Amino acid sequence: MNRIILIALAIFLSTQVYGQTEFDTYKNGLIYSETTMNKLGQIVDSLNLKYKVCDFNKLFKSKRQTIGHIVRLDTNKIKQAKKDMENNISFEEFIAKYPDAEVDRNVLIIKYKYKNYKEKEVVEFSEVDLNSNYGFEISQDNDNNLYNKAMKDSWLFDYTEKSKYSKESIKAFYFPEDFKSIPITLKYNRQIGYSECLIDTVATKFKDNAKEGWVDLPKNWQALSEKKKVKLLDEMRSTKVVGGCSQDSRPREHAINIAMLSAETANWEVFLKSHLDIMNDRFDRMSDGSYAYEKRKTYIKELEELDINVLDLLIGISLRIENPAENHYYGSIGRIGRAISESKDKNEFITQILSMIEDKELDNYNRILSYFLFVSCNNYIENETEQKTNLKLLEKSIMTLPVYLKSRINLTTE
């Protein structure tokens, strides 16, 4: 019984600790002191000329996307269906031959190329599910340059053999048309360019071959010499912190320590990447539960206090493109939406996001991402009247989407 009481007490104390404010704030109401903010302001002022001569003429293109069909079959003649797909049977012939197949027509499909943990190049084909995070996807090695292969009138399938754990089944994409990428329109092109300019894509937050560990920030760190601060920052950038669980705050603490030292040593590139990682909650954890998200704030106010265009920055890292710079920073749609809900310029953000949903010159994938961004922002707005007003605006914008997209959106405006 005593052991049970001790365990219960430990759980209670831990919830009390984690229920407190995530980071200490200073008299200015920010997580960075007035001294640090002044130094950041000086850095921004000194770099303004650099931003003005950035290459805003680079033409960005949308992610490759297409409209396709999804087929699922787990009863009758599955091996024959697999063989027919390998022989590239037409879609209509397949549907007629296999009436038991579950068919989902006209879905938006995106393809990505990345390297897995073995450093092998992989291509992922993903359905853009408009109502959940569980869209159908297939990943394959990029053998024979699969990423650039023409896919029109072809199948891509995932076959599962029968086992004691699962039924024999086959799931597949059918592509009536090839994947296409279109130019991003000028306004959004400049916002992406601004984000790449502001977030230096040459510098990285961590150094090559950084090792897992932890580096303490001394209590008197601000009194250290410039040389010692630079050395300490170098040690922190050579160390990656992996969270043990949802309640492990060390990865975010490590990031704010890097951000503060970067500000003190006039290292803008590393500061901004560290702060954006905190905003986007971009950290490695062994496990992470949704219950832990709420206490992780976005700290958009700290960026708004500096002389940068936060609206262009956040929209720029929200858009998905085919030809980014090597270290281009992509923001989390859910986290950026939350940050926008806390922004002093929230109404300006909302106006632009709605216009992006309605913009027929913008590719469909980015229009849908704009929809998700709006929904995320609105979900974090505390005023219910404002939420309902926004939902009505969103409903009007959704009506401008292609039929195959708007027909799939389940939006409650009551």
Side-chain angles (χ1 to χ4, degrees), residues 91-154:
F91 179 73
E92 296 303 332
E93 284 181 299
F94 183 93
I95 300 306
K97 186 173 180 179
Y98 300 95
D100 292 335
E102 178 186 339
V103 181
D104 192 2
R105 296 174 183 263
N106 299 324
V107 299
L108 180 61
I109 304 167
I110 308 297
K111 65 177 173 179
Y112 288 92
K113 181 172 60 177
Y114 63 92
K115 288 186 178 180
N116 62 17
Y117 68 98
K118 294 181 179 179
E119 288 299 301
K120 186 165 181 66
E121 202 165 65
V122 173
V123 183
E124 180 181 293
F125 298 80
S126 300
E127 170 200 8
V128 180
D129 191 321
L130 275 67
N131 297 296
S132 76
N133 293 321
Y134 303 103
F136 176 54
E137 61 184 40
I138 295 178
S139 295
Q140 291 192 357
D141 293 341
N142 192 30
D143 296 335
N144 301 316
N145 200 16
L146 172 63
Y147 187 76
N148 292 316
K149 181 181 177 182
M151 305 294 288
K152 183 176 180 179
D153 295 328
S154 68

Side-chain angles (χ1 to χ4, degrees), residues 206-395:
F206 288 114
K207 295 203 160 187
D208 292 338
N209 302 317
K211 296 182 179 179
E212 189 175 334
W214 175 260
V215 178
D216 283 319
L217 182 71
K219 290 185 178 180
N220 68 334
W221 68 274
Q222 286 181 309
L224 297 175
S225 67
E226 185 76 8
K227 186 176 180 180
K228 288 184 177 180
K229 287 178 183 175
V230 170
K231 181 180 178 182
L232 184 57
L233 176 59
D234 186 80
E235 290 176 7
M236 289 192 171
R237 293 182 63 204
S238 300
T239 306
K240 286 189 176 182
V241 178
V242 178
C245 65
S246 302
Q247 303 288 24
D248 189 346
S249 60
R250 293 178 309 144
R252 290 173 67 81
E253 291 171 6
H254 187 60
I256 196 173
N257 291 343
I258 290 176
M260 290 189 295
L261 278 168
S262 299
E264 290 285 326
T265 55
N267 195 328
W268 169 258
E269 295 84 1
V270 175
F271 163 79
L272 188 54
K273 285 184 173 69
S274 296
H275 189 86
L276 286 175
D277 278 354
I278 295 169
M279 175 180 285
N280 287 278
D281 198 32
R282 179 172 293 174
F283 303 104
D284 293 329
R285 298 183 177 92
M286 299 299 288
S287 64
D288 198 17
S290 58
Y291 59 85
Y293 298 165
E294 281 305 312
K295 65 176 176 288
R296 300 175 192 154
K297 308 302 181 184
T298 63
Y299 308 103
I300 189 174
K301 186 177 180 182
E302 280 73 4
L303 293 181
E304 291 179 332
E305 291 293 315
L306 301 173
D307 189 20
I308 60 176
N309 190 325
V310 177
L311 188 150
D312 283 354
L313 170 63
L314 297 192
I315 295 297
I317 63 176
S318 298
L319 291 160
R320 274 25 180 188
I321 52 177
E322 185 66 23
N323 56 332
E326 184 175 354
N327 295 311
H328 178 87
Y329 195 102
Y330 284 116
S332 160
I333 297 298
R335 292 284 297 184
I336 292 177
R338 180 176 176 179
I340 290 171
S341 75
E342 302 165 0
S343 171
K344 65 181 178 63
D345 297 321
K346 176 179 60 181
N347 291 336
E348 292 180 39
F349 271 106
I350 285 175
T351 297
Q352 172 159 350
I353 296 169
L354 288 172
S355 71
M356 291 165 69
I357 297 171
E358 298 169 9
D359 191 345
K360 295 180 181 180
E361 293 185 356
L362 185 63
D363 66 282
N364 288 337
Y365 182 44
N366 277 316
R367 292 177 73 183
I368 291 302
L369 289 179
S370 302
Y371 160 75
F372 287 137
L373 185 60
F374 189 98
V375 170
S376 174
C377 170
N378 204 46
N379 284 343
Y380 283 102
I381 292 174
E382 296 179 356
N383 186 302
E384 290 186 9
T385 301
E386 185 179 352
Q387 275 191 330
K388 290 180 180 179
T389 300
N390 287 341
L391 283 174
K392 289 180 180 179
L393 293 173
L394 178 59
E395 189 175 40

Side-chain angles (χ1 to χ4, degrees), residues 186-200:
L186 181 60
K187 178 179 180 179
Y188 315 124
N189 199 81
R190 291 182 62 83
Q191 288 177 313
I192 297 168
Y194 179 75
S195 72
E196 285 202 345
C197 185
L198 203 62
I199 313 168
D200 188 335

Side-chain angles (χ1 to χ4, degrees), residues 12-44:
F12 172 77
L13 290 175
S14 68
T15 57
Q16 296 303 301
V17 171
Y18 286 117
Q20 296 171 5
T21 303
E22 183 183 18
F23 299 129
D24 291 334
T25 54
Y26 293 86
K27 291 180 180 180
N28 58 6
L30 308 176
I31 59 174
Y32 305 121
S33 68
E34 291 183 10
T35 301
T36 300
M37 290 300 293
N38 286 337
K39 289 187 176 181
L40 285 169
Q42 292 170 11
I43 296 170
V44 170

